[in-house]
C-alpha cells in the first residue's frame, strides 16, 4: 500500500540518509530511527520524523510502527567496518545480529509487510569467479560478513512463512555524496578508501597507506566495484516499490559490474583534486579479498534499476565536494 509511512532504521547514517532523501523526494512519509552512534542528526531530511533510539529496543520499535502507521521498514543501522570486526567481534554480533534480530522480530510481530535490508558483498568472502552473481558460494571471511549473512538468513527464514516479503541488497563499495550537498559520508573514524583519500586531499589527514601491493591483480592492489550512493539509494526505492506492488522477496547485488584497483582510485582522486597525495605502501589489511566485482543484472532486470552515475571521477568529485563542505 503506497503512501503509508516507511520506518528507516539508521536513517541518520551515510546510506540511510541518502535513501531517506530519495523517499521524501518521492512523496513518502519517512520516520527515521537512529541512536546517532555513528549517524548525524543534520543528515536526516527536514521533512522526515526523527526518533532517537536503538533499533534493538523492541518495545520502542513496536510503538513507533503503531503510532506512525508504518507497514514498510528499511534496516541500515549496524556496524560496518571489516577490520574492526576482527578486533571486536562481539559488538558486531550484538549490533548486527542481536539488535537486528530484535528489530526484525518486532517488525514481523507488528505485521510489517515489506522489509528492505542492507546486506553486503562481504557475504561472498573471496569469490572464485568474477563478476559475482547472487548464487555464488556464501563464504564470509570476517565477523562482519558472517554477522550480516546471519541476519540475512534470519530474514529469509522469517519471511518464508506469513505475509512479509523482503529485499536484501548486497552492497559492493559505496562512495560519493548527494549532488545537492545534503548528505555525504560521515564516519567518526574513516576506514573506506575514497573517504580517506578525499580527507587527505582536503588536508584533514597527512596522507594514506595502500594496504598491500602483492595481490594477484594487474597492479598488485585490490580491486573493488565502487557504486555511487545515490544510484544505490534509487535501488532501495525501487526494491520497496517492487515489494509494495506484491513482488516476490529478492536478494540482489548492488554494483556497476566493473572494478578499479586501489591505485586506480588514488590516481583518480589526485587527478580530480588536482593535487598529489602522500601515499605509502603498508601491509595487507586483514579480511580484504583481492577482487570484488558485482554481477548486478538481477537488480536491473527485476527492478528496472538503471545506473546513472557509473563514473569514478564523478563519484570522487561528489565525495570531494562533500568533504570540502563538511569541514
Ligand atoms: N584501502 C587502502 N587504504 C586505505 C583504505 C582502504 O589501501 O586507507 C584498500 C583496502 O585494503 C581495500 C580497498 O581499499 O582493498 C577498499 O577498502 P574499503 O575499506 O574502502 O572497503 P571494503 O572493500 O573493505 O568494504
Amino acid at each position: 500500500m503506497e503512501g503509508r509511512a516507511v520506518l528507516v532504521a539508521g536513517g541518520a547514517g551515510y546510506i540511510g540518509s541518502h535513501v531517506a532523501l530519495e523517499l521524501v523526494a518521492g512523496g513518502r512519509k519517512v520516520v527515521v530511527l537512529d541512536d546517532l552512534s555513528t549517524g548525524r542528526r543534520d543528515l536526516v531530511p527536514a521533512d522526515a520524523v526523527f526518533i532517537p533510539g536503538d533499533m534493538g529496543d523492541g518495545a520502542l520499535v513496536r510503538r513507533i510502527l503503531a503510532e506512525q502507521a508504518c507497514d514498510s521498514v528499511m534496516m541500515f543501522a549496524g556496524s560496518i567496518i571489516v577490520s574492526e570486526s576482527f578486533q571486536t567481534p562481539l559488538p558486531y554480533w550484538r549490533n548486527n545480529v542481536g539488535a537486528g534480530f530484535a528489530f526484525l522480530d518486532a517488525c514481523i510481530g507488528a505485521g510489517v509487510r515489506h522489509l528492505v535490508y542492507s546486506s553486503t558483498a562481504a557475504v561472498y568472502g573471496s569469490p572464485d569467479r568474477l563478476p559475482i552473481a547472487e548464487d555464488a558460494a556464501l563464504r564470509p571471511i570476517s565477523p562482519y560478513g558472517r554477522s550480516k549473512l546471519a541476519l540475512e538468513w534470519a530474514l529469509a527464514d522469517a519471511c518464508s512463512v506469513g505475509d512479509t516479503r523482503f529485499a536484501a541488497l548486497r552492497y559492493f563499495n559505496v562512495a560519493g555524496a548527494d549532488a545537492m550537498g545534503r548528505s555525504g559520508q560521515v564516519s567518526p573514524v574513516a576506514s573506506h578508501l575514497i573517504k580517506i583519500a578525499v580527507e587527505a586531499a582536503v588536508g584533514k589527514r597527512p596522507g594514506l597507506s595502500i594496504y598491500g601491493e602483492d595481490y594477484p591483480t594487474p597492479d598488485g592492489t585490490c580491486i573493488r566495484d565502487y557504486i555511487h550512493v545515490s544510484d544505490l539509494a534509487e535501488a532501495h526505492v525501487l526494491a520497496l516499490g517492487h515489494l509494495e506492488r506484491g513482488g516476490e522477496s529478492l536478494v540482489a547485488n548492488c554494483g556497476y559490474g566493473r572494478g578499479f584497483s586501489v591505485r586506480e582510485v588514488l590516481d583518480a582522486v589526485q587527478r580530480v583534486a588536482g593535487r598529489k597525495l602522500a601515499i605509502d605502501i603498508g601491509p595487507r589489511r586483514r579480511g580484504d579479498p583481492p577482487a570484488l566485482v558485482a554481477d548486478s543484472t538481477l537488480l536491473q532486470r527485476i527492478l528496472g534499476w538503471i545506473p546513472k552515475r557509473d563514473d569514478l571521477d564523478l563519484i570522487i568529485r561528489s565525495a570531494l565536494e562533500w568533504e570540502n563542505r563538511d569541514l
Side-chain angles (χ1 to χ4, degrees):
M1 209 196 314
E2 296 204 16
R4 304 249 308 167
V6 187
L7 174 60
V8 181
Y14 173 45
I15 300 169
S17 63
H18 282 85
V19 175
L21 284 167
E22 204 63 49
L23 287 167
V24 166
R28 299 299 298 254
K29 179 182 171 195
V30 173
V31 180
V32 168
L33 170 66
D34 200 301
D35 67 1
L36 301 182
S37 56
T38 54
R40 246 172 45 187
R41 176 70 181 87
D42 61 307
L43 301 190
V44 177
D47 293 337
V49 175
F50 175 67
I51 299 172
D54 177 2
M55 78 161 169
D57 181 344
L60 173 65
V61 172
R62 277 190 295 276
R63 196 168 70 237
I64 297 170
L65 291 170
E67 286 177 3
Q68 303 287 339
C70 305
D71 70 350
S72 297
V73 304
M74 296 197 176
M75 302 177 61
F76 297 96
S79 300
I80 60 157
I81 304 174
V82 175
S83 51
E84 184 185 62
S85 75
F86 287 103
Q87 314 300 327
T88 53
L90 282 182
Y92 275 72
W93 283 91
R94 190 181 308 124
N95 296 338
N96 294 346
V97 181
F101 180 77
F103 182 79
L104 171 62
D105 202 23
C107 290
I108 300 271
V112 162
R113 303 286 298 270
H114 320 109
L115 255 147
V116 181
Y117 172 63
S118 300
S119 190
T120 166
V123 299
Y124 300 114
S126 230
D128 300 328
R129 263 188 312 280
L130 297 179
I132 310 166
E134 290 80 2
D135 59 1
L138 300 172
R139 290 186 297 234
I141 55 173
S142 65
Y144 166 69
R146 287 187 281 275
S147 70
K148 294 299 289 186
L149 180 57
L151 200 76
E152 195 187 297
W153 278 342
L155 190 57
D157 284 346
C159 296
S160 67
V161 290
D163 292 329
T164 308
R165 275 161 294 107
F166 76 98
L169 300 181
R170 293 181 178 158
Y171 311 160
F172 282 63
N173 287 63
V174 189
D178 174 52
M180 292 199 255
R182 297 166 298 179
S183 185
Q185 199 158 7
V186 289
S187 356
V189 188
S191 70
H192 291 108
L193 179 64
I194 291 181
K195 171 75 175 168
I196 286 181
V198 297
E199 281 186 357
V202 303
K204 288 186 184 173
R205 59 172 70 228
L208 75 157
S209 299
I210 292 178
Y211 297 142
E213 57 165 2
D214 59 349
Y215 284 95
T217 60
D219 69 12
T221 65
C222 291
I223 291 173
R224 295 288 183 273
D225 186 340
Y226 295 89
I227 173 173
H228 194 293
V229 65
S230 299
D231 275 341
L232 181 67
E234 291 180 10
H236 285 74
V237 175
L238 291 170
L240 183 62
H242 163 83
L243 297 178
E244 288 177 337
R245 285 190 303 277
E248 291 298 313
S249 291
L250 91 157
V251 176
N253 288 336
C254 300
Y256 291 137
R258 49 93 188 107
F260 292 102
S261 73
V262 173
R263 276 197 192 284
E264 286 172 329
V265 169
L266 295 180
D267 286 349
V269 172
Q270 294 179 99
R271 187 172 60 241
V272 172
R275 57 172 293 193
K276 283 229 110 12
L277 301 181
I279 299 169
D280 62 27
I281 309 297
R284 287 184 177 198
R285 189 175 67 176
R286 197 168 171 198
D288 277 341
L292 294 172
V293 176
D295 176 341
S296 60
T297 46
L298 193 112
L299 190 68
Q300 304 188 34
R301 184 165 50 78
I302 298 193
L303 299 185
W305 179 69
I306 300 168
K308 297 181 189 144
R309 304 163 185 90
D310 178 4
D311 174 337
L312 184 61
D313 283 17
L314 182 151
I315 292 173
I316 290 169
R317 200 170 312 115
S318 71
L320 202 55
E321 279 166 11
W322 169 258
E323 211 57 51
N324 263 317
R325 201 174 296 116
D326 199 48
L327 293 171

